[in-house]
Amino acid sequence: FKEVNHNPVRFLHALSKERLEILSADRGFLFELEKVWQQFDEYMRFDADGKESNGMDGFDKKQPIAYFSMEFGLHEAIPIYAGGLGVLAGDFLKGASDMGLPVVGVGILYRCGYFTQKINPNGYQEEVYSEFENHLIPIKEKHLENGDPAFVDVRIGDDTVMVKIWQIDVGKTQLLLLDTDIESNLPQHREITNELYTADRERRMLQELVLGIGGIKALALLGIEPKVYHLNEGHSAFLIVGRLRQLMFDKKLTLSEARAIIRASTLFTTHTPLIEGNENFPTELVKKYLEKEVKSLGLTFEDFAKIGFVGDNKDTFWLPAMAIRFADYINGVSQQHERVSKNMWAQLWPQRSKAEVPIGYVTNGVHRGWVSENYTKIFGRYVGPDYIHRGQKEEVWQTISNIPDEEIWQAHRRNKQDLINFIRRKLADDVTARGYSQAKILKLSRLFNPEYLTIVFARRFATYKRSTLILTDKERLKQILTSTTKPVQLIFAGKAHPADFNGKNLIKDVIEFSKDYGLEDRVIFLENYDMNVARHLCWGADVWINVPLRDMEASGTSGMKAAMNGVLQLSCLEGWWIEGYNGRNGWAVTAGQFYNRSDLQEMAEAGQVYDLLEEEITEFYYDRNEAGIPEQWVRMMKESIFTSCQKFNMNRVLDNYMKQYYIPSKKETDRLTADKYKALKESVSQESQVLKYWDAIKLSAFTTTIDKKLRLVEDDAVEARCSLNVDNAPPELFKVELFYTFSEKTDYKIVPMEFVGKEGGDAQYKCTFSLTGYGLQNINVRVKPADKTIENLHPEMLKWID
Ligand SMILES: *Cc1c(COP(=O)(O)O)cnc(C)c1O
């Protein structure tokens, strides 16, 4: 099973006929098999309060939430993921299955998937792309009702490309995967879905056309009519083109009507805290492949291209910008990331203050599948087995503190021993390829010690993750590692992006440090960080370290996986850890926050990491009671488990998405589409009127009663008035509101102003509001379209008083 990378299909193929025959008569084996089958069957039939059979909040299998992603991390045997984004998407589908939430995933089946990492004798990463036998994974061809295999065609420039649809069942959730590697396609088209995150920009764009446009066609072919479209990152934004075609040709809507429907039913989740890191293509390339399609929608390419521009630059087309302009719902993936994303994309709403940029957040979480078997047993016993369906409920997790110390510590020791065994096996394989002698390998694999405090740094080797921060003072680190009474060992793992030479150099630095300082028994680099390596590491580590650069870690999820297994965090207060850290469940690296220069930050933070290791972490870990249990440490482990299981499990994430986004989005879409699009058509029919008068209207004569007061006190009522010069425009086309910021401009409230009559060509408005908060305050008035749908279609229509 290990040899086939835990792939059950390959495993079955690898068994001989004789072996299968023996097993089919082995009563012990059949008994075990029956138990597993029953458990699975029970899971598949679970239906909380009949919710699934009745449809959940109006969603059901035919009208689900469509979840589009470039990558899905389901299992190590299906290498169609690269890192955190994909693992999140995979966990999302698994969580949806647990909760009975009707979701259909849409992605790509890559022929080679992502690369396998090898480290050459010089310490450099090399990438190996190998075709994985995608018919030997748990996947099936999708068939139509008449039994024919399901295909759609996608127009790529002047050609038509056939796309085959596959399906993976993720528990109760289905994942549709698109594939162009079929015989009837031209060779260059067969290669489109060759590898994930190809460096070839042109091929990458074609992949994203297949994902977006092909994905929409695939859903339609299968009779699935999603209520909400969730874009996990910008890669799938071309689905908007597919939807425009569908709504304009099949449903005969106008462009504005189609846009309004798409906006109301789209949620875009951004993950990348730097604009440059977001998906973009030269506008010329987009033109080459999309001009025809866009023209057939009745648009010029120039008009279309504007939806992908950021600022004045017309040479680059940004997919996230396109997604944002077609989504009423946008979110980041932690509270901190919401703020970072608002700053980053504020330029798309130049008329608004940053606080008002319409980006919210849902902090990421991880699926319970990341809980090790040893802890799953404990949770089953002390938390109760139904936690798998009700993980979003706080009270479910309160029993964690009742678990006896011995059980927690024993479970952890077993996990750690498993990790050491795994490392010994894997290391022998890895370093053989690096040219080490057998004698040395044997020595190495014995030296790694399950009793030593073990720290893991496992994540992508991207510069911002600062993988080598802990190597800042190599002598001091060596002393910590080689302490005779409180020894420490350090494990690194992670891939660098094939084009990221800085990242590759960091891997080399780690390997060289270990060699040059004679620490090969204390510091190791494990090759090919994937879901399997990740699982072993986040089960068996004592401490999980994460020291990213400020504002660069959107959320981070590996720490959550580790924390669920009682591993303690040693992490900068970034991403999820800002929300997770409570002073009792791990350590926060904060020393850098007083510096603005990154080199000074790094020095300060490295110093703090060493201090914490010397003064607290090793002290607590090696401080044992008579039973050999580190009591203080185990107390922290329980806190860590509680925090992660309660706040960062996937059920909570899905619950947030449901309440914050899916349900409101579905309600609004239903409202617009009911009675043959009655409300939609009514709203959009005002658009030309609003546009016609927009330039001419003007606010003036803004007064408040503030000036009449001697002293301003919180809760004081203030009256405000203003007038709107409407000429002959009907005032009901517009709404006027007061915009009031307080608490240093980070908080605001919007007070609608009441139309009180007309004087000459001016409409008069007034309102009263109460003073709130403290600090700098600011009051202003503004006008926008009265109709919510028109307002959403035209975020640029917002006029302040001059
Ligand atoms: C969880 C996971 C990640 C994401 O981890 P971060 O904490 O976001 O760096 C990346 N790769 C694999 C294989 C994972 O399992």
Side-chain angles (χ1 to χ4, degrees), residues 81-85 87 366 370 458-460 465 529-532 534-535 544 546 553 555-559 561:
Y81 68 95
L85 183 74
V87 175
V366 296
W370 290 101
R459 40 187 32 87
R460 269 183 309 122
K465 301 243 190 196
Y529 183 50
D530 65 358
M531 289 180 76
N532 184 35
R535 191 183 305 123
W544 198 259
N546 187 27
E553 182 91 314
S555 163
T557 51
S558 59
K561 303 169 193 166

Side-chain angles (χ1 to χ4, degrees), residues 681-731:
K681 292 194 183 245
E682 263 171 31
S683 286
V684 176
S685 68
Q686 296 178 21
E687 190 188 25
S688 58
Q689 285 264 60
V690 175
L691 284 165
K692 181 172 133 197
Y693 293 115
W694 180 253
D695 285 340
I697 61 168
K698 196 168 178 308
L699 284 165
S700 62
F702 175 41
T703 58
T704 71
T705 51
I706 283 192
D707 306 344
K708 301 200 180 97
K709 293 178 194 287
L710 285 175
R711 228 158 48 96
L712 296 176
V713 189
E714 175 137 27
D715 292 335
D716 262 4
V718 175
E719 192 182 285
R721 288 173 175 274
C722 71
S723 47
L724 180 69
N725 187 301
V726 284
D727 277 330
N728 43 20

Side-chain angles (χ1 to χ4, degrees), residues 464-481:
Y464 82 86
K465 301 243 190 196
R466 298 194 300 185
S467 335
T468 53
L469 181 119
I470 197 170
L471 308 186
T472 304
D473 183 343
K474 297 194 172 70
E475 285 300 336
R476 189 164 172 200
L477 177 61
K478 181 174 177 172
Q479 276 185 6
I480 294 172
L481 296 172

Side-chain angles (χ1 to χ4, degrees), residues 536-550:
H536 283 94
L537 290 173
C538 69
W539 288 355
D542 294 307
V543 174
W544 198 259
I545 184 169
N546 187 27
V547 283
L549 210 55
R550 191 183 293 168

